[in-house]
Amino acid sequence: MTTSVRTAAPAGRTLSPARRFQNMLMGGLILLATLLVVAPLILIFFYLIREGLGAINLDFFTKVPAPEGETGGGLANAILGSVQMLAMASVIGVLVGVSGGIFLSEYPRHPLMPTVRMISDVLAGIPAIVMGLVVYSLIVLQFGFSGFAGSMALGFLMMPIVVRTTEEVLKLVPQTVREAGLALGLPKWLVTLRIVLPAAAGGIVTGVMLALARVAGEAAPLLFTAFGNSAINLDPSKPMSALPLEIYRGATSAYDENQRLAKAGALLLITLIFLTSLLARRASRRK
Amino acid sequence: MSEPTQSSPTRPPTPSALSSRSDRQFEILILALASVIVLVFVLSIYLLGSESWPALQRFGLEFFTQRTWNPVEGVFGAVAMITGTLVTSLVALAISVPLAIASALFVAEYAPKWLANPVGYLIELLAAVPSVVYGLWALFVIAPVLSRWEQGFFQDPARLALYTSCKNLWDSGSTTLQCFFVPSTFDGRGLALAIIILTVMILPYTASVARDVIRLVPQEQREAMYALGATKWEVISRAILPYARAGIMGGVILALGRALGETLAVAMVIGDSQDVLKSLFGGASTMASVIANQFGDAQEALHRSSVVTLGLTLFFLSVIVNYVARLIIARLTPKGIQ
C-alpha cells in the first residue's frame, strides 16, 4: 500500500545518522514485538501436538475417561456432549440472532431499534461465567444441572455475535434489490425472507460459524449449568459433559492420565476451532 | 398496487390487504424474537440482583470495602477480588497495548501483502484459542519455568533471609512494599502468571482494532509527511498514530473489558487465595476466578449470595466498559468503513 511513497524519503539532503538510527531501531522493535505477539500461538500449538497427539487414537473417540488413577480411556462423553449442546445452542443463537439482525437492518426506523442494538452490543461483552450464573438461577435452581441449561448459556452467548454479523451482511444487500422485490408487488416479509436473506445467506452462515467457534471453547458458562458427566449421555435433561469442561477438569487434576487426556482434548478442540475460523474466513473472503 | 400479468412460479397470489396483514405479523414475530435479547439482559439483572440480595442486605456497601473473605466465619468482603481484578487487568493491559500496536503497525505499514495477511490471521487466531487451553499451557509450561526462577533466585542465603522476614511479616498480618516482590509460594502460580497469560489473551483485541483504524488513516496523511522528508518512523509516530489514537483507545477499552471478565485461564493459574495484594508471585484472586473456584462448592446461602454479588459487580463493570468502548469506536468509525 505504501510502496509508492516508501522510496520518496529525502532525495536531496542526507538523513542525519540519529534519525536514520531511530528509524531502524523502531522498525526492528516493531518486528520484534510482532514476533512476541505471534509466538504464544505457535508455542501452544506445538506443545499440544507434542504432548497430545499421542493420546489421540480410537479409544480417545470411543471411550469415557478412566476412573482417577487408572490409565486408558477417552473423551467420547465430552465430544458427544459438546456436539449436542452446540447444536441446541445454535437453535437459540440462530433464531434469535438472525431475527435480531433482520430487525436492526430492515426496521431501522422502529422506535425500539436503538435499544435492541445497544443491549445486543453490551451483551456481547458480558463475561461468559456471569452468563453461567444467570442460567443457573434461571434453570438449574429448579430443574438441576442439565445439557439444556448448558445449551441455553451457550446460546445466549452466541446471540449477540450472530446479531452483529447478520446486521452487517444484510446491510450489504443493495437497497435496489429490495425495491425490485417490492415493485413486483411482493410484501415486505416475502422480500426479506426470499430475496434479502438468501442474498446474505453466505455471510450469515459465516457469522454463525464464527459464533460457534467462539462458544465451542467456553467452559466457564458450563461449570454450573451442564456441570459435566463422566458417562456418555444423550439425554439433555441430565448433566452433560463438554470438551472444554473435560480439559479444565483434566488440567487441574493431579493424575498424569487425566492431564494427558486434557492435552489431547485441547489439541482436538483447538484444531476444530482453527479449521472453523479458517473456513469461515475463506467463505467471507470469496464474497 | 396493480397486479402484473406475468407472474413467476414462486410468487404467491397476495392481495394487498392480506399482504399488509402478513407484513404486520412478520414484524411482530421478528420483534418478538429480537426482544429475547432485551429479555435476557433484563433477566440477568433481575436474577443476579435477587440472588445477591441476601449478601448485599447483610453487608451493604461494606461488601466492597471489607478485606476479609472468610467462608468459615461467614464474613465476605470483596476488596481482595476487586484489587486482584483491577491489578491483573490493568497491568496486563499496560504490557499488551504497546505490543498490540506494534504488531498492528507491522501488519498495516511494514509487512508486504503476502506476509501481512497470514500474520494478521495468526493474531486473530490468538483470540480464538479457548480460555482453558491458555490456562492449561500456562499451568504446564510457564508455571514450571517461573517456579524454577523463583526457587533459584531465593537459594542465595541473603535473599532467603529476606524471604524469612517477609514470611514473619505475613504471618503477623502485615506486609511491606518490598515483600510484594518476594514469592509467598514457589510453585509458579500467582498474580504474575495470571498477568502474563492475560497479556497474551487480550493482545488480539487491541491489535485487530488498531490494525483496522491504522488502515483507515488517509493515504494523503502519510504522503504529506513523507513529502516533508520524514522517515518511516516519523510518519508513523507523527502522522499515523495521532490520527488513529482515539480509535486505538476504543480497542484498548474493549481489551480491558475482556481482561476484567476472563475466567478460567486466570482461575487455573492465580492460585486462589483471598489475600489482598500479598505477593506478586503468590496466590491471589479475581472476581471471575472466585466465581469459578467457589460457586460450585459454596454450601452456605450467604457464601453463594456473596459469590453472585461478585458476578453482579462484574456484570455492571463489563456493561460500563463495553458501552464506553462502543461509544468511542462508533464515534470514530468514520466515513468510509460502513
Side-chain angles (χ1 to χ4, degrees):
Chain A
M1 188 159 66
T2 53
T3 38
S4 56
V5 286
R6 194 174 287 158
T7 49
R13 295 164 297 151
T14 46
L15 215 50
S16 77
R19 286 174 64 204
R20 189 192 304 262
F21 174 73
Q22 184 198 38
N23 188 34
M24 280 168 56
L25 177 73
M26 293 318 288
L29 283 179
I30 284 172
L31 180 66
L32 192 69
T34 309
L35 288 175
L36 261 175
V37 169
V38 184
L41 184 78
I42 295 165
L43 290 175
I44 290 174
F45 198 62
F46 281 106
Y47 173 75
L48 290 179
I49 287 184
R50 203 186 68 204
E51 300 278 316
L53 199 59
I56 296 189
N57 47 31
L58 191 63
D59 277 2
F60 179 76
F61 293 99
T62 55
K63 292 200 171 145
V64 299
E68 293 209 323
E70 290 177 28
T71 55
L75 291 181
N77 57 336
I79 297 169
L80 273 172
S82 271
V83 170
Q84 290 176 79
M85 285 198 283
L86 287 175
M88 287 188 286
S90 308
V91 175
I92 303 177
V94 171
L95 208 60
V96 177
V98 173
S99 305
I102 292 177
F103 179 67
L104 294 185
S105 144
E106 307 299 308
Y107 298 91
R109 272 183 292 277
H110 198 286
L112 284 176
M113 203 287 280
T115 316
V116 173
R117 140 110 33 84
M118 195 195 78
I119 289 188
S120 171
D121 276 355
V122 163
L123 213 54
I126 300 297
I129 185 105
V130 175
M131 204 51 96
L133 284 181
V134 169
V135 174
Y136 177 88
S137 319
L138 186 66
I139 305 285
V140 179
L141 273 183
Q142 285 174 47
F143 304 102
F145 298 115
S146 67
F148 276 133
S151 314
M152 192 177 239
L154 295 183
F156 286 171
L157 290 170
M158 277 180 80
M159 285 181 335
I161 313 176
V162 180
V163 168
R164 175 150 274 264
T165 43
T166 305
E167 186 199 355
E168 274 167 12
V169 208
L170 288 182
K171 282 199 168 147
L172 290 179
V173 177
Q175 204 55 38
T176 46
V177 172
R178 293 183 182 85
E179 284 160 5
L182 291 170
L184 285 174
L186 287 178
K188 182 170 182 174
W189 68 278
L190 269 180
V191 172
T192 308
L193 282 187
R194 291 269 183 82
I195 298 177
V196 180
L197 219 48
I204 296 177
V205 171
T206 305
V208 172
M209 282 167 70
L210 286 177
L212 267 178
R214 255 301 296 290
V215 302
E218 287 289 0
L222 300 179
L223 283 174
F224 325 122
T225 53
F227 191 71
N229 193 332
S230 52
I232 289 178
N233 172 26
L234 298 175
D235 176 2
S237 65
K238 301 257 163 61
M240 200 175 261
S241 191
L243 264 180
L245 267 183
E246 250 358 283
I247 297 169
Y248 176 59
R249 300 254 152 87
T252 48
S253 149
Y255 294 97
D256 279 352
E257 193 61 20
N258 299 52
Q259 294 182 0
R260 202 175 60 97
L261 275 182
K263 289 168 191 164
L267 179 63
L268 177 68
L269 184 63
I270 211 175
T271 309
L272 289 177
I273 288 175
F274 284 0
L275 282 179
T276 313
S277 8
L278 194 68
L279 274 177
R281 218 178 131 89
R282 273 283 150 75
S284 65
R285 267 286 161 71
R286 225 178 306 123
K287 275 270 139 186
Chain B
M1 206 181 284
S2 65
E3 283 290 312
T5 44
Q6 159 255 21
S7 69
S8 64
T10 54
R11 186 181 166 279
T14 40
S16 64
L18 198 75
S19 88
S20 92
R21 180 141 40 94
S22 51
D23 263 355
R24 189 82 199 123
Q25 286 165 347
F26 181 70
E27 189 180 332
I28 291 171
L29 177 72
I30 288 292
L31 182 59
L33 284 169
S35 324
V36 172
I37 298 162
V38 182
L39 185 73
V40 168
F41 184 76
V42 176
L43 261 180
S44 303
I45 297 177
Y46 170 73
L47 290 169
L48 293 173
S50 62
E51 291 290 309
S52 43
W53 187 240
L56 284 173
Q57 211 175 18
R58 172 76 180 273
F59 303 112
L61 282 180
E62 239 175 73
F63 184 81
F64 301 101
T65 54
Q66 162 76 253
R67 292 168 70 99
T68 319
W69 177 276
N70 190 336
V72 182
E73 290 169 20
V75 179
F76 298 99
V79 171
M81 296 91 201
I82 293 172
T83 50
T85 305
L86 292 180
V87 166
T88 49
S89 302
L90 293 177
V91 177
L93 203 65
I95 306 173
S96 82
V97 166
L99 291 172
I101 294 176
S103 72
L105 284 172
F106 180 79
V107 170
E109 299 291 324
Y110 281 88
K113 206 168 169 22
W114 61 266
L115 188 61
N117 279 338
V119 171
Y121 181 54
L122 282 182
I123 294 173
E124 272 171 34
L125 275 188
L126 268 180
V129 175
S131 189
V132 268
V133 175
Y134 276 118
L136 183 148
W137 182 66
L139 204 54
F140 290 151
V141 178
I142 311 182
V145 176
L146 262 181
S147 168
R148 229 170 316 158
W149 283 354
E150 289 164 4
Q151 285 168 7
F153 193 79
F154 281 87
Q155 244 157 22
D156 178 87
R159 291 178 184 140
L160 195 62
L162 176 66
Y163 168 75
T164 323
S165 68
C166 281
K167 178 120 182 34
N168 290 335
L169 267 181
W170 287 328
D171 289 343
S172 66
S174 68
T175 187
T176 62
L177 182 63
Q178 194 186 22
C179 288
F180 181 66
F181 298 97
V182 173
S184 63
T185 56
F186 288 86
D187 62 357
R189 289 195 227 178
L191 212 49
L193 187 53
I195 290 170
I196 293 173
I197 203 66
L198 263 183
T199 304
V200 177
M201 294 178 77
I202 60 176
L203 270 170
Y205 297 98
T206 316
S208 64
V209 175
R211 185 196 56 198
D212 291 345
V213 289
I214 288 171
R215 279 189 176 154
L216 282 177
V217 174
Q219 197 56 27
E220 293 79 14
Q221 190 86 357
R222 299 183 178 85
E223 282 163 9
M225 198 69 196
Y226 277 120
L228 292 173
T231 63
K232 190 170 184 73
W233 170 247
E234 284 160 353
V235 172
I236 288 172
S237 62
R238 307 213 185 134
I240 297 178
L241 287 182
Y243 195 96
R245 184 179 51 202
I248 294 175
M249 199 59 209
V252 170
I253 295 179
L254 213 57
L256 175 65
R258 285 281 148 198
L260 293 172
E262 201 43 70
T263 308
L264 282 184
V266 174
M268 286 160 89
V269 303
I270 202 166
D272 194 29
S273 146
Q274 278 77 55
D275 298 309
V276 182
L277 296 183
K278 184 178 174 186
S279 157
L280 182 59
F281 303 96
S285 55
T286 68
M287 294 193 266
S289 82
V290 167
I291 302 175
N293 282 328
Q294 299 193 1
F295 187 73
D297 304 325
Q299 298 299 327
E300 276 94 56
L302 193 62
H303 190 188
R304 273 183 177 241
S305 176
S306 301
V307 174
V308 179
T309 310
L310 293 177
L312 185 71
T313 314
L314 204 50
F315 181 91
F316 281 118
L317 205 58
S318 22
V319 167
I320 294 168
V321 168
N322 279 285
Y323 185 69
V324 171
R326 299 279 177 215
L327 223 57
I328 295 179
I329 291 175
R331 169 112 35 99
L332 290 157
T333 308
K335 353 63 197 179
I337 198 175
Q338 238 160 25

